[in-house]
Amino acid sequence: GSLFTAATSDAVVARGGAYEVNPPFLEEHMLAAALALELWLRACRRPLAFVVFVPQWRDSPYYELLCASRFTRRRLDAVK
């Protein structure tokens, strides 16, 4: 199921943990995911981490948000 439901977001923020995020490669989905992750990371008081798989579309709002986030610790750009 989707990680981006109200019930799941409450559980993620309360429990913490590590999660893989691979949203559909549509700009609106990737932006929604990036915004949700930022909110969850701000709200969580327990250790919480995400590994995010998205295309490297550098001029996209979701990509800029993920790269500029104070929570981003590492970035790995895969190239052909």
Side-chain angles (χ1 to χ4, degrees):
S2 174
L3 185 62
F4 299 100
T5 65
T8 304
S9 68
D10 289 344
V12 167
V13 169
R15 181 176 57 235
Y19 302 89
E20 176 184 319
V21 180
N22 188 4
F25 292 170
L26 301 170
E27 294 244 11
E28 60 271 15
H29 291 275
M30 292 183 290
L31 181 58
L35 291 168
L37 297 177
E38 187 76 18
L39 289 173
W40 295 350
L41 287 161
R42 288 178 191 224
C44 192
R45 299 293 173 238
R46 300 185 63 137
L48 179 62
F50 298 99
V51 176
V52 183
F53 295 91
V54 291
Q56 188 179 1
W57 298 343
R58 293 179 186 252
D59 60 340
S60 297
Y62 78 87
Y63 190 81
E64 293 173 6
L65 178 64
L66 290 171
C67 290
S69 173
R70 69 182 174 111
F71 299 106
T72 297
R73 296 291 179 254
R74 301 243 188 312
R75 191 176 96 209
L76 175 64
D77 296 329
V79 294
K80 287 184 181 180

